[in-house]
Amino acid sequence: MISYSYFEMVNNIFNWSMQFCTAYFFYRFCRIFIQHSYLLIISIGYFITVIVLEWYIGDISNFGVYLFASLTAFLLLLPLKNNSVYLKFFIVITYFSIRWMAPTIVIILYRPISDLSLYLVEKWIIPDLLDVTIGYFSYTIWMMLVLLALYIIGLWCVIHFYEKCIHMHPRMFENREILLLILPPLIGMSSYFMMNKYHQVIGDPIDPDVIDQFLKYWGVHNCITIAAMFGVLILVQKLDLQRVQQQKQLVLVNQSQQLQAHLQSIDALYKDMQLLKHDVKNHSATVERLIETKQLTEASIYLNSMQQQMDSKVTQSVTGHAIVDLLIQEKIKKAQAQSVAIESTFTYPSYVHCDVYDLCIILHNALDNALTATKDRPSASISIHSIQHKCTYILTIKNPIPAFVNENNYRGGLGLQIIQDIAKKYNGDIQINTDHQVFELHVLLHFHS
């Protein structure tokens, strides 16, 4: 005969497993919003708090145990920098609600599974056993595994949705957005509190049929609350995407106007060249007369003046395209004003169909980002390099990163998003490499021949 101590031991293992899963999913939920190795320690602190309060103190309600554990996690999250207090409060409150609501939805399946399992055990297994406690012990272990599985499924589904939704549009939430996101979890938290109070007030054992009805209604309530949490998150993400798209359009309009100015500069340069070509005949005649009259010194001075005029009006091509030449020269002038050097081996794509507008937008945003990063770093250097193999073209821009710049913010700027959009237009993409000192942007483009 199996003694009661075995049942107690299995129950303790089950409870510890449940709390381990709770701490693990808390770790996963935190990682959606905060990237820090310290999160593992915070999750361990959350786990230890639950264990100590539930097993060694014991006089605290289930609601109180997880409330104190959430408070502990919040206090441990506070020292982490680069994240607002609002976000940390949102993480703790939201997970507090998820931990209660998600399992209660799938737990509705537990009762029919339990009844069916008990029926099968009593009809097919116990009659063949000399010791019936073995059958009931096996049934207890089986139902604990089922309950643990349902608990994991509930938490995984909700947290997986948050992961997918956030990773599709990763960003830092504003405080007003967090206040909006936190409202549904607060409703879920209050429902947990009410259920806990209900059990304390009733006190006496409740009829199983009443419990079934109670759990069904509570499950529906929690479904609606979780749906509200998802709905608010999707709404906030979509509104931000619209805002980003509007900003992109404004930036592109501004950059298009700058490119139009470059085109006007090219037109003015062309007119200057035509005038210069017309004046060359007159200049040549003047030099010939000076040489015929043996006025060689005057002829030399005149030629030098003529050469200076031509140098000021003729722009040497360094990339293979006039518009791109003007753009890069403009950025070089800005860099020189900041005492920053730009080293360029960039060449315009050859033998392929390339929209110069798109390439100028890429260069404009990439070089503006690089100049911003080196604004307070005299003697810094920016390099531009390109390589082409048939229809595949790779543009690389490198610049130093200031020590005070957050790399995550540096990776997610509007300019980089515009560059990535253009790269995808050409079936390409961007790759960013950082080593805490140098920022490397690689833009891959696939052109048509």
Side-chain angles (χ1 to χ4, degrees):
M1 183 175 179
I2 298 177
S3 65
Y4 176 76
S5 61
Y6 284 99
F7 283 90
E8 188 177 7
M9 179 185 68
V10 170
N11 185 62
N12 287 335
I13 294 173
F14 167 74
N15 286 329
W16 278 65
S17 301
M18 290 277 283
Q19 302 315 325
F20 175 81
C21 292
T22 303
Y24 166 72
F25 281 108
F26 177 73
Y27 170 76
R28 277 188 58 174
F29 189 70
C30 289
R31 277 184 59 86
I32 299 173
F33 305 94
I34 301 174
Q35 300 294 323
H36 202 287
S37 57
Y38 186 55
L39 292 178
L40 182 60
I41 298 174
I42 296 173
S43 300
I44 293 172
Y46 181 91
F47 174 77
I48 292 173
T49 303
V50 173
I51 295 298
V52 170
L53 292 175
E54 197 162 26
W55 276 277
Y56 294 98
I57 297 179
D59 293 331
I60 304 175
S61 66
N62 188 265
F63 180 87
V65 168
Y66 289 104
L67 182 63
F68 277 111
S70 298
L71 179 61
T72 301
F74 177 71
L75 294 175
L76 291 173
L77 283 169
L78 281 178
L80 299 183
K81 297 180 180 179
N82 302 323
N83 298 106
S84 71
V85 176
Y86 289 91
L87 179 63
K88 295 164 186 174
F89 185 68
F90 162 76
I91 290 172
V92 170
I93 294 298
T94 302
Y95 187 75
F96 184 92
S97 297
I98 290 172
R99 191 217 64 81
W100 136 250
M101 290 189 296
T104 58
I105 295 171
V106 295
I107 214 72
I108 297 172
L109 301 172
Y110 176 78
R111 186 58 186 272
I113 294 174
S114 175
D115 292 342
L116 178 61
S117 299
L118 184 59
Y119 171 78
L120 293 175
V121 167
E122 290 180 342
K123 184 174 182 179
W124 299 103
I125 298 177
I126 289 180
D128 297 329
L129 296 175
L130 295 176
D131 186 357
V132 296
T133 56
I134 295 176
Y136 286 111
F137 184 70
S138 302
Y139 163 77
T140 301
I141 294 176
W142 160 246
M143 290 315 301
M144 285 181 174
L145 292 174
V146 170
L147 186 59
L148 183 62
L150 291 173
Y151 183 75
I152 292 172
I153 290 170
L155 286 175
W156 182 87
C157 288
V158 176
I159 290 176
H160 184 68
F161 178 87
Y162 269 89
E163 288 174 337
K164 286 292 182 182
C165 193
I166 298 299
H167 290 163
M168 284 176 62
H169 181 46
R171 64 191 183 89
M172 296 295 292
F173 288 96
E174 297 180 5
N175 290 339
R176 60 183 180 181
E177 292 175 327
I178 294 173
L179 291 175
L180 183 63
L181 288 168
I182 210 171
L183 290 177
L186 283 173
I187 295 172
M189 184 178 177
S190 64
S191 71
Y192 185 21
F193 175 76
M194 286 188 291
M195 181 178 181
N196 188 74
K197 277 295 180 183
Y198 177 79
H199 281 297
Q200 289 180 357
V201 170
I202 296 298
D204 298 329
I206 308 172
D207 185 82
D209 293 332
V210 176
I211 293 176
D212 287 346
Q213 289 295 112
F214 180 77
L215 287 176
K216 287 177 183 178
Y217 288 125
W218 220 278
V220 172
H221 171 274
N222 289 342
C223 279
I224 295 171
T225 306
I226 287 180
M229 291 167 60
F230 291 167
V232 172
L233 178 62
I234 292 171
L235 176 64
V236 168
Q237 291 288 75
K238 284 189 174 181
L239 288 175
D240 188 70
L241 279 171
Q242 290 179 0
R243 180 184 61 81
V244 170
Q245 290 299 326
Q246 289 173 354
Q247 287 182 344
K248 285 182 183 179
Q249 291 300 322
L250 290 173
V251 170
L252 287 173
V253 167
N254 180 53
Q255 292 176 356
S256 297
Q257 292 172 349
Q258 292 182 14
L259 287 178
Q260 188 65 33
H262 289 319
L263 290 173
Q264 291 174 356
S265 298
I266 290 175
D267 185 59
L269 181 63
Y270 176 77
K271 290 179 180 178
D272 286 343
M273 291 291 292
Q274 292 296 105
L275 292 173
L276 187 62
K277 182 179 179 181
H278 179 268
D279 291 341
V280 164
K281 294 179 181 179
N282 296 329
H283 290 312
S284 298
T286 302
V287 172
E288 286 178 2
R289 284 194 297 271
L290 289 171
I291 292 174
E292 286 174 358
T293 57
K294 307 297 183 179
Q295 301 180 51
L296 299 181
T297 303
E298 286 78 1
S300 175
I301 294 172
Y302 191 89
L303 283 172
N304 287 334
S305 175
M306 183 178 167
Q307 183 66 43
Q308 290 175 2
Q309 264 192 337
M310 292 181 65
D311 288 343
S312 65
K313 293 183 178 181
V314 177
T315 303
Q316 184 179 4
S317 178
V318 294
T319 67
H321 198 288
I323 297 178
V324 181
D325 284 341
L326 285 173
L327 177 64
I328 290 182
Q329 286 175 8
E330 177 191 330
K331 301 304 178 185
I332 288 175
K333 288 179 182 178
K334 287 185 178 180
Q336 289 173 346
Q338 297 178 193
S339 300
V340 174
I342 293 184
E343 302 171 359
S344 175
T345 57
F346 170 86
T347 55
Y348 191 80
S350 56
Y351 310 110
V352 293
H353 295 294
C354 172
D355 190 339
V356 66
Y357 171 81
D358 289 335
L359 197 59
C360 283
I361 292 295
I362 291 174
L363 286 168
H364 181 85
N365 285 285
L367 289 174
D368 273 0
N369 285 350
L371 288 170
T372 301
T374 55
K375 188 174 183 180
D376 298 318
R377 301 194 65 175
S379 304
S381 177
I382 300 170
S383 68
I384 315 170
H385 174 69
S386 65
I387 185 171
Q388 181 178 357
H389 178 68
K390 296 183 179 179
C391 295
T392 301
Y393 185 83
I394 300 175
L395 170 66
T396 301
I397 296 178
K398 299 179 182 179
N399 61 268
I401 301 178
F404 58 84
V405 170
N406 186 323
E407 287 184 24
N408 292 328
N409 293 341
Y410 206 82
R411 289 171 176 263
L414 189 61
L416 288 177
Q417 292 179 31
I418 292 174
I419 293 172
Q420 188 170 40
D421 290 343
I422 296 175
K424 288 181 178 178
K425 175 182 173 182
Y426 291 94
N427 299 315
D429 206 348
I430 66 171
Q431 179 179 331
I432 297 171
N433 298 329
T434 56
D435 62 359
H436 304 289
Q437 292 182 342
V438 177
F439 176 88
E440 293 185 9
L441 170 64
H442 304 274
V443 184
L444 173 65
L445 306 170
H446 295 289
F447 297 113
H448 295 291
S449 58

